Structures are given as structure tokens and as C-alpha cells.
């Protein structure tokens, strides 16, 4: 099954993607995580082209396609992929559709997570993550080490207010048009609304699951 997670920065794509990945036993592919790994290695050929991330700008479609392209043919991804942070532009969505079509597949469902700006800001400013397993936490949990890896949690350098606002802007202008793109192509489309900061990831996951069930995509 090929799932596309759509939603602004901080909407919970990463958390929901990881949870779905465990339940469905389908790999979770986060372009943001892939890029951050490259940014740890200044000798990588794409290192310079990824510097825009620090300003909250999107990476160019060419570079994104270079990193993601081909992964569909990787045997690890044979049973499907949960895409997190990809596609983020119409051009990327078209490239993905073509790639999938060439192997006789298609995007099975888009999960679009709507979250209010206040909730997003609170989450992003307090977000911490494990540099090893990428698990996501929040300062309010009062945890400073990953319980699985025993490594100190880190804050992403792009989780500061200025960069966050730029990322929201990029989302509105370049990624939000994908809503219309997928609706026009009649792809299964789920909207999840998260309007209270007290809403837990588990309750969002339950709603996602119920909706997937309703579409006959899970049992
Ligand atoms: P978030 O959703 O919180 O912004 P991500 O980890 O998904 O975080 O992405 C971090 C950054 O990586 C983005 O702000 C963007 O600069 C870059 N990026 C990730 N995926 C893509 C993509 N598909 N196209 C262009 N840029 C991307
Ligand atoms: Zn960890």
C-alpha cells in the first residue's frame, strides 16, 4: 500500500507515519530524515544543495527526485511505502505518479492532517527527537533521553520561530495545492482535523485507522 501523508510542519506526519508503519509493517520514508542524514556529512555531493533547509525553504525538485527516485525499485519497498514529507510540490506528485505507474501501482490513499497554527507552533517549538531512531518527543513529556536508544534528545535547528514561519509559508504556496491535485485525480482522500492541543497522537491514530478501515484498506 502506498500512503501519502500530507500536512503542514508539525501536523504529526512523522509520528503518525511511524505508528502506521509499525501497525501495517510497511516502511516509513521521511525525506526530511533522509536530508538530515546527508546534512551530517559535509562531503556528500548533495550537501550544498540542502543548505536551503536551514532557511525553511523547500529543496529543489531535482534534488528531491534524486534522493527519492529509484527507491521504489528497492526490494525493501516492495509492499508499499508510507511517504512522509513527499511529495511536497505538484511536480513531485507527478513524478511519483509516473514512477508508480511504471511498476503498475498508484497512491492508494492520501492522509491530510489539518492542524491550527497555534497548535503547530507549540508543537514545533517544543519538539525534540532521537538522533538515532528518529522517534519524536515533546519537552512537556519531561524526557531528555530516548528510552530505546539511551541517547540525549536533540532539537532540530530549523525548529526556531523564524524558520517555522517560513516553512508554513512554503507549505501554503507549494504543498497545499496538492490537496486539489489528489482530489482531481480521485485518489482516496482522508482529512483528519486536529484542533485541540490536548488531542493525543494515539487518538489521531485511531481516527486514521477507522477511516482506513472505512475505505476497506485495512482489516
Ligand atoms: P517538517 O514537515 O516539520 O517541515 P521535514 O522533516 O518533513 O519537516 O522536512 C524538513 C525540511 O526538509 C523541509 O523544511 C524542507 O526544507 C526539506 N524537505 C523535506 N522533504 C522535502 C520535499 N519533498 N521537497 C522539498 N523539500 C523537502
Ligand atoms: Zn531512539
Amino acid at each position: 500500500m502506498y500512503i501519502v501523508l500530507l500536512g503542514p510542519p508539525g501536523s504529526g506526519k512523522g509520528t503518525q507515519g511511524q505508528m502506521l508503519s509499525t501497525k501495517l509493517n510497511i516502511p516509513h520514508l521521511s525525506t526530511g530524515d533522509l536530508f538530515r542524514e546527508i546534512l551530517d556529512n559535509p562531503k556528500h555531493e548533495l550537501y550544498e544543495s540542502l543548505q536551503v533547509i536551514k532557511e525553511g525553504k523547500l529543496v529543489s525538485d531535482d534534488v528531491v527526485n534524486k534522493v527519492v527516485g529509484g527507491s521504489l525499485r528497492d526490494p525493501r519497498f516492495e509492499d508499499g511505502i508510507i511517504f512522509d514529507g513527499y511529495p511536497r510540490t505538484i511536480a513531485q506528485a507527478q513524478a511519483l505518479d509516473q514512477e508508480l505507474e511504471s511498476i503498475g501501482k498508484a497512491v492508494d490513499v492520501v492522509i491530510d492532517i489539518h492542524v491550527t497554527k497555534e497548535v503547530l507552533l507549540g508543537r514545533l517549538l517544543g519538539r525534540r527527537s532521537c538522533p538515532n531512531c528518529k522517534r519524536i518527543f515533546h519537552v512537556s513529556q519531561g524526557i531528555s533521553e530516548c528510552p530505546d536508544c539511551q541517547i540525549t534528545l536533540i532539537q532540530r535547528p530549523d525548529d526556531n520561530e523564524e524558520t517555522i514561519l517560513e516553512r508554513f509559508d512554503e507549505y501554503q504556496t507549494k504543498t497545499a495545492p496538492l490537496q486539489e491535485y489528489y482530489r482531481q485525480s480521485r485518489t482516496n482522500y482522508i482529512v483528519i482535523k486536529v484542533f485541540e492541543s490536548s488531542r493525543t497522537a494515539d487518538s489521531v491514530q485511531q481516527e486514521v485507522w477507522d477511516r482506513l478501515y472505512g475505505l476497506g484498506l485495512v482489516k
Side-chain angles (χ1 to χ4, degrees):
M1 178 156 44
Y2 293 90
I3 300 179
V4 167
L5 293 164
L6 207 60
S11 56
K13 300 184 299 289
T15 306
Q16 296 303 321
Q18 288 167 0
M19 292 168 110
L20 273 180
S21 168
T22 308
K23 273 200 197 159
L24 293 168
N25 199 22
I26 296 174
H28 170 226
L29 188 81
S30 156
T31 40
D33 284 345
L34 291 177
F35 293 156
R36 280 183 286 280
E37 254 163 53
I38 296 176
L39 283 174
D40 282 340
N41 173 12
K43 294 207 177 101
H44 195 286
E45 55 160 352
L46 298 177
Y47 183 80
E48 286 306 326
S49 47
L50 296 186
Q51 295 306 310
V52 291
I53 291 178
K54 296 179 180 156
E55 282 127 52
K57 300 271 188 205
L58 289 190
V59 172
S60 79
D61 291 332
D62 291 357
V63 172
V64 174
N65 289 335
K66 233 187 233 174
V67 173
V68 180
S71 55
L72 290 174
R73 287 187 170 77
D74 185 324
R76 272 196 311 138
F77 297 126
E78 227 164 39
D79 297 331
I81 302 179
I82 298 167
F83 289 106
D84 166 5
Y86 175 87
R88 248 175 160 109
T89 63
I90 300 268
Q92 290 176 25
Q94 288 168 336
L96 175 63
D97 279 347
Q98 275 173 16
E99 279 274 328
L100 286 173
E101 207 186 311
S102 74
I103 54 167
K105 305 263 170 70
V107 171
D108 293 286
V109 60
V110 176
I111 302 173
D112 183 4
I113 314 178
H114 291 203
V115 185
T116 54
K117 237 179 178 163
E118 300 73 62
V119 176
L120 292 174
L121 258 179
R123 286 184 181 175
L124 290 167
L125 291 170
R127 176 159 72 180
R128 301 290 182 273
S129 57
C130 170
N132 183 44
C133 71
K134 319 292 177 208
R135 224 175 116 184
I136 301 155
F137 303 85
H138 192 271
V139 278
S140 61
Q141 292 170 279
I143 302 171
S144 61
E145 254 188 14
C146 174
D148 296 325
C149 311
Q150 274 87 45
I151 292 179
T152 305
L153 302 179
I154 54 163
Q155 179 172 32
R156 275 169 46 176
D158 59 346
D159 278 346
N160 63 77
E161 191 149 354
E162 194 191 345
T163 312
I164 290 169
L165 294 180
E166 184 59 44
R167 283 153 65 205
F168 284 168
D169 227 55
E170 289 281 83
Y171 184 80
Q172 268 321 313
T173 54
K174 297 180 181 157
T175 310
L178 289 181
Q179 299 169 342
E180 198 43 40
Y181 175 86
Y182 282 117
R183 289 210 145 116
Q184 270 179 10
S185 67
R186 299 174 172 277
T187 307
N188 283 318
Y189 202 94
I190 295 175
V191 175
I192 306 282
K193 294 184 179 156
V194 183
F195 293 166
E196 294 113 24
S197 56
S198 55
R199 181 89 189 265
T200 65
D202 285 329
S203 104
V204 174
Q205 179 68 199
Q206 188 59 51
E207 187 177 340
V208 168
W209 196 258
D210 291 345
R211 300 286 296 278
L212 290 174
Y213 183 85
L215 289 170
L217 292 169
V218 299
K219 285 190 208 121

